[in-house]
Amino acid sequence: MTINIRTDSAAPRTGRAPTSLRFAAAALAAVALAALLAACDTPQTTFEPRSDAAQRVHTIYIFVIVAASIVGFLVLAAMAYILVKYRERPGRVPQQIHGNNTLEITWTVVPILILVAIAVPTIIWIAGTTQPADDDALHVTAVGHQWWFEFRYPGLGPDGGDLVTANELRIPVGRQVAITLEAKDVIHSFWVPRLVGKTDMVPNRVNQLEKFKATEIGEFYGQCAEFCGSAHALMRFRVHVDSHADFDRWVASMNAPPEAPAVGSAEEGGLRVFRAQCATCHTIQGVSEGADGPNLTLFGDRATVGAGILPSTTANVKEWVSDVRALKPIPDPREVPIEGVSRVMPTFYVEDPDKDLLTEAQVDQVTAYLQSLRLR
Amino acid sequence: MQYVTGIDDHRTSTGLDNRKLLMWAFLGSDVMFFGTLIGTHLIYRNRSLSGPQEEILSIPITTVSTFVLLMSSLAMVLALAAIQRGNMGGFRFWTVVVAVFGSIFIGFQMFEFAEFAHLGLTPRTNLFGSTFLVMTGFHGAHVTVGILWMWSLVFASFKGKIHQGNALQVEIAGLYWHFVDIVWIVIFGVVYLIGAYGAENRALESVEHAARAASLI
Amino acid sequence: MAANIGILRRPVSTAGVWGWITTVDHKRIGILYGVTAFVFFLIGGIEALLMRVQLAQPDSEFVDAGTFNALFTMHGTTMVFMVVMPAGAAFFNFLVPLMIGARDVAFPRLNALSYWLFLFGAILMNFSFFKAAFPDVGWFGYAPLTTTPYTLSSSTDYWVLGLQVMGIGTTAAGFNFVITILNLRAPGMTLMRMPLFTWMTLIVSFLIIFAFPPLTIALTLLLFDRFFGTNFFDTVGAGADPLLWQHLFWIFGHPEVYILILPAMGIVSDILPTFSRKPLFGYTTVVFAGAVIAFLGFGVWAHHMFTTGLGAWATAAFAGATMAIGVPTGVKIFNWLATLWGGSLQFKTPLLFALGFISMFMLGGLSGVMHAAVPVDTQQQDTYFIVAHFHYVLFGGSIFGLTAGIYYWFPKMTGRMLSERLGKVHFWVMLIGFNMAFMPMHVLGVLGMPRRIYTYSADQNWAGLNLFVSVGAFVIAVSILLLIINVLRSVRKGEKAGMNPWAASTLEWAIPSPPPHYNFAVIPTVRSLHPLWDEEANAVEPPPLPAHGEPHMPSPSYWPIVVAFGVTMVCGGLLIWQASTWLGLAVIAVSGFIGMRGVYGWVFEPVAAEEHAEHAEHPERAPAHHA
């Protein structure tokens, strides 16, 4: 269904034309695009909605694309007809017409009617966004940081406080989610194309994302959509839509302190390094109370490392811990000593004994420890 | 189309002098300039996190300086009327009055700014300090330009460059001066009267509230 | 005499480089604007090509993140402020006085000042490349990313001050053209007999004088924050609201969009009648539609901010206003088509580009209506769909329209025709390259690709389309190369144009090509919208010069460039001040003095040079007024 619509809509919007050459080029381009589209699996597409909210937007989206395509096609066809019919020919003397009120009123009124047809669903949709959240809605506060996402679940944390995680949002399927958006430093934008349209995260303002109910279990791509500085392109995140049981299990696991690593294991060494080097910034529930950095509780279960940019493999985690700047263009803390701005992660290991804060063995241990933090 | 010789190149299509039209266009643009500054100030009303705000504005003192500025506009009218009649003495006298009254207004403003600094309000203090001082500062800069303009008209008149024949020069300066005056009326009304009046009331209410609370005890 | 005050004597020669530097002739200033804009077009184009190389493959390491961010910031800023606006100004300058039957603009020296401020502002901003780095905050520079905690580099200061200097020049030009068009029309040239291009110039000039002050303020406030520690955008310590910047910027920024497109609409509205051999259909309607677009243009700025959380009803109101602005735009398109209807269409290169304009601009308009629908905008905002949209209106619209203007008026400007054959090849290559580069961007937006990202991962499957887009970008580059070849060849070897090579109807075609410096030997008297199509006109040759010789024109002047230099260097001094307080203050003081000295010399400079002093006694032979 969606694929058909895509190709339909792509065709009339491509190049237009008085001559066959132009048509040929346009048709070729349209076919090429359609082929490319059909061949690819695009995880961030806006055209495969998997929530009630995204579906509502999608319906209007298709309507305006079809309306615009019809108008565009008709006007281009009229233009092509005029260009062929009235081309210069010997003996043709054009009549000197200065205007025609009836015609001009017609082509003022007809666009107004089309625009009203688009305005009505728009206004209805806007009115819908003012509805209060369902009683059983899951409330989440998402906070944008340069360049990662923090997610806080009020009331689900230890002692009725916030449950906090980062870069991978977990929500239950079929239950409404009401997300409050905030920003720590500059403006960011929260966007999960297949679940919900974007809303900006603005410092000193509290925005409400459109409330949505995911309709399918799975993993969805999200990305910051407002330019927010050097690593904007690498400020991504994932949304895991879980079954209710999985979600509850995850919440319980998030609140339980991790088991102590076995004595003498690499994980135990890693925990020591973590306490010494990482704990000021990073929280692990039951282990550390860090400020500023992403919460790492159950890090071993995350699909990605570095705010959605790389699969969470041992090699990638290790590289991230060693030399974050090799993976993401973030400023060096020594160059950004500005008050009020989040601290950024230092470079720990670049095989330079003068600068390195950790040895390779210690990096391996921390990596092993972080990957051991798993759901129970 | 035809070519008719002997048409006066000096005419303008509207009959208005180019320079006068330029001043009108400039003032139109300046409306947006001050509109933006005043709008910014209003958007940030009551959003300062700390430091003094509208309650430190003094309506009585500013009423006096506003009156002085209004009177300078009256003097401007008299200066223009004088030069249009060819009364150069009257023109010089009233133009100097405009400049002096303008300077008195600027003096009040400098006193106000110094007083605010004394009370701990500078452009760096809070949002109110930034918006209020930048807005009124830009207005003060406009007044200052006007004062310099007035003096240069007076001096040019002694050199014979301003006379009844080009009273338009004075008229254009007058347009500018009246505009700057009107902008101040708006700032006085919107920022001082409405803003500070409310602030005083709020301050009063809290005093009364405290008094009532005290009497209950 | 007052001229003796000057250190610099009033120049008299119009020859050589000094002739160009001191010129106050609107035609020469027009050419300066045009050539400068084209140079920046090449720079902005190279920036675009570098970005397209980077994005042609996933996870590319052709340029790093900082470079890419600087590239898109400078590409946007350059194309808007240093290409399309001055290219429009080039046509305003060259054509408007000719179209209304005037000898020059109302304030010739102010006109020169506008150009020098534009040039120096543009150079100042680009100078950041040598000093720190190119600005990298995006062309609309959203706070608080631009404030000190988040942008330590002085590149943002260059951006602010460069825009500020260019903005002063642009605003001055806006005043100049409002007065010129209102006041310097030939006898009988009523407002409703003005060519459409002149009308659009008038409307754009009004837009400039009302839209630029909010930008000036916004930039000033940001500058004060960065230099003096005020709190306008200080979200960290003072609780500032970042949306203030967005409101101020877009109150300027949306009218700016119409500042960019209306000149092209004017050009097309004048080209279509010439090559259809019939008048514009519904002249009054087209004029009125332009005015309505400009007026509504001030009431739609928040559609750039639908996703910022404005609140439901503000959002709904701005959505409605945005849809409303589609109506007069649509009316224009229909009127253009009706102008073609029943005509005898001569498919010369200017007409081809005009038709390219109508079709491409209409597609951009239709995608614009799509994101007026707020729910759709939540999926399109800040994606490549938006990038596609504004390139359809600004490239498919403005650039195609301006190129049509180049082909149409090049004969008037140089006296020689551009090659038709090469022109047609240029058109087809550019049209195909344009659609290859920008049509797939709609699809990329639909597939969720955000704008302003320097890299994307392979698993998004955006690579194929991106490669296609990049190829298209290089096809566009080839088409621009064809234009350069055509211009360089034709300037020297092109066919002689004569007065009116297209048999067009408006006044600029009633004088020799290129026009003499005084434009009209005798000011024409106008009786209709199409003076050269009137029956009697066919017989009319331009009259010889009157007995008293050439009309007296204002002498060249040094002061405009001196004042522009002073203003620019005051800003330069501010930048130096950040590194070295005393050196900065010294530069500010010296250049402030130079600027003031320039203003003083300007004010007391007579209309004519001393050598011509006797002419000053005959003001009726000088152009209306001189400022």
Side-chain angles (χ1 to χ4, degrees):
Chain A
M1 171 61 189
T2 46
I3 297 230
N4 283 340
I5 286 160
R6 244 189 255 148
T7 49
D8 286 352
S9 58
R13 283 190 294 124
T14 330
R16 39 291 338 145
T19 76
S20 53
L21 175 64
R22 220 161 152 188
F23 274 129
L28 203 69
V31 170
L33 293 188
L36 277 166
L37 276 177
C40 291
D41 170 35
T42 51
Q44 207 157 298
T45 177
T46 57
F47 267 22
E48 287 167 13
R50 292 295 181 268
S51 80
D52 59 342
Q55 183 58 53
R56 279 194 298 272
V57 169
H58 187 64
T59 307
I60 303 175
Y61 202 153
I62 296 303
F63 170 66
V64 296
I65 281 195
V66 169
S69 302
I70 292 173
V71 172
F73 181 80
L74 289 179
V75 175
L76 290 176
M79 186 167 156
Y81 172 79
I82 293 170
L83 296 185
V84 173
K85 179 157 165 77
Y86 294 106
R87 68 188 183 277
E88 186 178 28
R89 267 183 277 185
R92 168 171 283 161
V93 180
Q95 205 190 336
Q96 302 296 298
I97 310 163
H98 288 271
N100 180 316
N101 285 344
T102 319
L103 274 176
E104 292 180 57
I105 290 169
T106 310
W107 62 55
T108 307
V109 173
V110 171
I112 290 176
L113 296 178
I114 296 172
L115 288 168
V116 167
I118 295 173
V120 169
T122 298
I123 305 285
I124 292 173
W125 180 87
I126 293 173
T129 60
T130 60
Q131 297 290 318
D134 292 354
D135 290 340
D136 70 335
L138 173 70
H139 289 267
V140 182
T141 299
V143 186
H145 297 254
Q146 278 183 323
W147 292 272
W148 57 281
F149 290 89
E150 175 185 350
F151 302 114
R152 313 183 74 92
Y153 299 69
L156 294 187
D159 310 322
D162 288 2
L163 183 158
V164 185
T165 186
N167 296 328
E168 298 196 11
L169 176 67
R170 285 188 180 268
I171 56 171
V173 70
R175 180 173 160 198
Q176 193 184 57
V177 185
I179 301 185
T180 302
L181 302 172
E182 294 171 9
K184 174 84 168 85
D185 33 48
V186 301
I187 303 175
H188 303 278
S189 192
F190 182 101
W191 185 37
V192 194
R194 296 179 67 190
L195 294 179
V196 63
K198 67 187 73 62
T199 300
D200 294 351
M201 311 165 108
V202 185
N204 294 340
R205 284 182 94 94
V206 177
N207 278 342
Q208 300 300 329
L209 187 69
E210 191 193 355
K211 294 168 272 292
F212 67 96
K213 225 180 257 184
T215 52
E216 190 177 292
I217 291 172
E219 186 182 333
F220 297 90
Y221 280 49
Q223 184 159 8
C224 174
E226 183 65 68
F227 180 63
C228 55
S230 60
H232 165 61
L234 299 181
M235 183 170 166
R236 306 174 193 161
F237 65 109
R238 297 287 165 89
V239 178
H240 299 276
V241 178
D242 290 342
S243 69
H244 286 262
D246 284 349
F247 179 74
D248 291 342
R249 187 162 148 248
W250 176 73
V251 170
S253 240
M254 282 293 287
N255 285 322
E259 283 172 20
V263 178
S265 65
E267 287 82 357
E268 197 210 17
L271 174 57
R272 271 201 304 277
V273 176
F274 181 86
R275 285 193 199 280
Q277 294 285 355
C278 317
T280 337
C281 293
H282 294 286
T283 300
I284 291 175
Q285 177 59 37
V287 175
S288 64
E289 302 257 336
D292 291 341
N295 186 304
L296 298 178
T297 311
L298 298 191
F299 178 84
D301 276 323
R302 298 225 180 122
T304 64
V305 61
I309 62 173
L310 290 168
S312 185
T313 62
T314 305
N316 287 337
V317 175
K318 189 180 158 187
E319 182 161 15
W320 183 266
V321 172
S322 316
D323 185 6
V324 64
R325 276 156 203 84
L327 300 176
K328 203 168 185 173
I330 63 179
D332 192 305
R334 282 160 301 194
E335 291 165 12
V336 200
I338 299 290
E339 248 180 276
V341 177
S342 307
R343 276 169 288 180
V344 290
M345 185 151 143
T347 300
F348 282 106
Y349 173 70
V350 286
E351 294 182 63
D352 177 351
D354 296 337
K355 284 194 202 156
D356 286 351
L357 302 168
L358 296 179
T359 63
E360 186 173 8
Q362 286 175 313
V363 171
D364 284 333
Q365 288 173 338
V366 172
T367 305
Y369 172 69
L370 290 174
Q371 293 200 307
S372 75
L373 301 169
R374 301 191 68 99
L375 204 62
R376 277 167 297 138
Chain B
M1 185 186 84
Q2 55 179 221
Y3 292 102
V4 181
T5 47
I7 290 171
D8 178 13
D9 277 9
H10 202 61
R11 80 193 157 78
T12 65
S13 313
T14 58
L16 289 169
D17 187 272
N18 284 341
R19 288 161 295 175
K20 193 167 165 184
L21 211 52
L22 177 67
M23 180 48 72
W24 278 112
F26 171 76
L27 297 182
S29 185
D30 231 21
V31 166
M32 289 299 286
F33 187 90
F34 279 108
T36 309
L37 284 168
I38 295 170
T40 300
H41 177 78
L42 294 179
I43 287 169
Y44 274 159
R45 253 190 95 196
N46 299 325
R47 283 190 56 135
S48 295
L49 301 179
S50 61
Q53 292 191 53
E54 285 165 336
E55 69 279 358
I56 73 167
L57 298 177
S58 166
I59 292 182
I61 292 175
T62 316
T63 305
V64 175
S65 70
T66 304
F67 180 75
V68 171
L69 195 62
L70 270 178
M71 288 305 104
S72 77
S73 260
L74 178 64
M76 189 72 240
V77 171
L78 294 172
L80 178 60
I83 198 167
Q84 281 172 340
R85 285 194 313 271
N87 174 0
M88 292 311 288
F91 158 72
R92 287 175 192 132
F93 174 76
W94 288 118
T95 307
V96 170
V97 169
V98 173
V100 169
F101 279 18
S103 304
I104 293 173
F105 175 83
I106 293 293
F108 269 97
Q109 191 170 40
M110 288 166 76
F111 167 78
E112 186 187 36
F113 283 14
E115 187 64 20
F116 287 175
H118 186 66
L119 293 170
L121 186 81
T122 72
R124 306 167 75 133
T125 308
N126 56 15
L127 293 177
F128 175 79
S130 296
T131 62
F132 175 82
L133 293 169
V134 169
M135 169 182 61
T136 51
F138 268 114
H139 181 264
H142 273 69
V143 175
T144 308
V145 168
I147 293 168
L148 293 175
W149 197 347
M150 292 306 140
W151 284 117
S152 59
L153 283 177
V154 172
F155 287 125
S157 79
F158 283 114
K159 285 189 173 182
K161 285 182 186 151
I162 295 288
H163 45 77
Q164 189 176 6
N166 61 6
L168 182 75
Q169 298 277 11
V170 180
E171 192 181 343
I172 291 170
L175 279 176
Y176 176 82
W177 190 266
H178 293 311
F179 172 79
V180 172
D181 196 357
I182 290 168
V183 169
W184 182 257
I185 302 297
V186 173
I187 292 178
F188 182 64
V190 172
V191 175
Y192 284 83
L193 291 184
I194 296 176
Y197 180 75
E200 274 179 11
N201 270 6
R202 282 194 298 281
L204 271 180
E205 273 165 25
S206 59
V207 170
E208 282 168 13
H209 184 77
R212 248 181 285 127
S215 69
L216 282 176
I217 298 165
Chain C
M1 183 87 200
N4 293 330
I5 297 164
I7 307 163
L8 303 165
R9 287 290 178 91
R10 184 101 205 221
V12 284
S13 168
T14 56
V17 178
W18 281 105
W20 285 93
I21 288 176
T22 58
T23 189
V24 295
D25 179 344
H26 70 97
K27 297 178 290 298
R28 285 188 153 203
I29 293 172
I31 289 168
L32 287 174
Y33 265 116
V35 170
T36 315
F38 193 78
V39 169
F40 281 112
F41 182 58
L42 297 181
I43 295 173
I46 289 167
E47 285 156 359
L49 292 179
L50 293 175
M51 283 191 282
R52 284 321 313 176
V53 172
Q54 165 73 7
L55 291 177
Q57 308 167 55
D59 301 314
S60 164
E61 288 177 0
F62 176 69
V63 294
D64 63 18
T67 309
F68 188 89
N69 296 342
L71 285 174
F72 72 67
T73 301
M74 284 309 289
H75 171 74
T77 309
T78 301
M79 289 302 190
V80 169
F81 293 99
M82 305 174 208
V83 177
V84 177
M85 287 187 70
F91 286 107
F92 298 169
N93 268 287
F94 199 95
L95 294 169
V96 164
L98 304 183
M99 284 179 160
I100 61 174
R103 293 247 154 83
D104 206 319
V105 294
F107 304 101
R109 288 180 299 176
L110 189 65
N111 201 23
L113 176 70
S114 292
Y115 169 73
W116 295 114
L117 284 172
F118 150 64
L119 178 67
F120 291 163
I123 291 174
L124 179 68
M125 191 189 295
N126 280 280
F127 191 72
S128 60
F129 180 72
F130 304 102
K131 201 59 199 142
F134 272 148
D136 58 357
V137 290
W139 87 273
F140 40 74
Y142 275 0
L145 187 62
T146 48
T147 58
T148 311
Y150 306 108
T151 308
L152 287 167
S153 148
S154 63
S155 60
T156 302
D157 302 324
Y158 280 91
W159 182 76
V160 170
L161 288 166
L163 280 184
Q164 202 72 294
V165 172
M166 285 191 279
I168 298 168
T170 306
T171 313
F175 292 138
N176 214 339
F177 281 94
V178 166
I179 317 290
T180 302
I181 294 171
L182 290 182
N183 250 2
L184 298 193
R185 282 167 285 132
M189 175 64 82
T190 59
L191 288 176
M192 294 315 275
R193 283 181 192 160
M194 295 197 308
L196 238 299
F197 179 73
T198 307
W199 255 114
M200 292 306 126
T201 305
L202 179 63
I203 292 170
V204 165
S205 303
F206 271 114
L207 283 174
I208 286 173
I209 66 180
F210 290 118
F212 265 74
L215 177 69
T216 306
I217 297 289
L219 293 169
T220 304
L221 303 185
L222 178 59
L223 194 74
F224 283 7
D225 271 14
R226 291 182 61 85
F227 279 74
F228 308 123
T230 53
N231 306 307
F232 294 100
F233 308 110
D234 177 7
T235 51
V236 180
D241 182 354
L243 292 198
L244 173 67
W245 172 271
Q246 297 191 18
H247 282 295
L248 296 184
F249 189 89
W250 290 118
I251 289 172
F252 150 77
H254 204 78
E256 170 71 11
V257 170
Y258 298 107
I259 291 171
L260 299 174
I261 195 67
L262 288 176
M265 289 181 166
I267 289 170
V268 167
S269 303
D270 281 352
I271 287 178
L272 293 182
T274 299
F275 296 98
S276 313
R277 313 308 306 155
K278 65 193 274 284
L280 186 69
F281 188 92
Y283 170 88
T284 317
T285 316
V286 177
V287 168
F288 189 64
V292 170
I293 288 172
F295 186 75
L296 288 178
F298 277 98
V300 298
W301 78 85
H303 69 213
H304 297 267
M305 302 163 62
F306 280 157
T307 61
T308 58
L310 290 174
W313 298 114
T315 303
F318 279 103
T322 304
M323 290 180 189
I325 211 165
V327 174
T329 315
V331 166
K332 282 199 165 204
I333 290 171
F334 292 127
N335 277 50
W336 288 326
L337 292 182
T339 305
L340 298 169
W341 181 278
S344 175
L345 306 178
Q346 303 168 326
F347 288 102
K348 297 282 172 53
T349 312
L351 180 64
L352 291 182
F353 276 99
L355 296 172
F357 166 90
I358 297 175
S359 48
M360 295 303 110
F361 174 75
M362 182 194 68
L363 296 182
L366 288 172
S367 59
V369 170
M370 286 188 208
H371 26 267
V374 182
V376 179
D377 190 61
T378 65
Q379 291 286 23
Q380 292 179 337
Q381 168 74 333
D382 280 321
T383 68
Y384 263 80
F385 196 95
I386 299 287
V387 179
H389 158 72
F390 66 69
H391 281 93
Y392 266 81
V393 289
L394 290 183
F395 194 126
S398 299
I399 298 287
F400 270 80
L402 291 166
T403 313
I406 291 174
Y407 278 92
Y408 187 56
W409 281 298
F410 185 85
K412 181 52 61 185
M413 294 175 178
T414 64
R416 293 183 186 267
M417 308 293 288
L418 283 167
S419 155
E420 269 294 306
R421 217 166 52 118
L422 206 50
K424 282 178 176 150
V425 176
H426 169 203
F427 169 72
W428 288 109
V429 175
M430 189 153 118
L431 186 76
I432 291 167
F434 169 77
N435 280 291
M436 281 175 70
F438 297 108
M439 183 57 71
M441 283 188 185
H442 291 106
V443 183
L444 282 169
V446 163
L447 297 183
M449 180 167 167
R451 67 193 284 201
R452 299 181 160 185
I453 53 171
Y454 77 97
T455 189
Y456 54 91
S457 62
D459 65 348
Q460 295 281 17
N461 277 318
W462 297 327
L465 284 169
N466 270 306
L467 181 61
F468 191 80
V469 166
S470 297
V471 172
F474 279 89
V475 175
I476 295 176
V478 169
S479 78
I480 301 305
L481 217 57
L482 293 174
L483 174 65
I484 295 172
I485 294 169
N486 200 348
V487 167
L488 291 181
R489 275 182 43 178
S490 303
V491 162
R492 284 175 294 126
K493 297 192 200 143
E495 189 191 329
K496 286 259 197 290
M499 274 181 17
N500 191 359
W502 312 117
S505 71
T506 42
L507 279 187
E508 77 271 27
W509 303 104
I511 51 174
S513 311
H517 66 102
Y518 49 81
N519 296 351
F520 297 88
V522 175
I523 298 294
T525 299
V526 180
R527 292 203 191 145
S528 75
L529 186 53
H530 301 282
L532 301 196
W533 283 358
D534 294 347
E535 278 176 43
E536 59 185 291
N538 294 332
V540 174
E541 279 294 307
L545 283 169
H548 55 75
E550 290 188 359
H552 182 71
M553 298 301 293
S555 300
S557 173
Y558 291 109
W559 299 123
I561 195 171
V562 170
V563 174
F565 179 79
V567 170
T568 311
M569 283 315 292
V570 167
C571 295
L574 274 171
L575 289 163
I576 297 169
W577 182 53
Q578 289 216 313
S580 157
T581 311
W582 290 110
L583 183 60
L585 285 177
V587 171
I588 290 171
V590 171
S591 39
F593 174 78
I594 293 173
M596 291 308 291
R597 181 67 194 78
V599 171
Y600 186 72
W602 179 319
V603 170
F604 291 105
E605 186 173 62
V607 174
E610 285 165 76
E611 283 81 350
H612 295 269
E614 73 277 12
H615 288 298
E617 305 308 316
H618 303 286
E620 77 279 0
R621 275 152 60 192
H625 274 298
H626 194 62

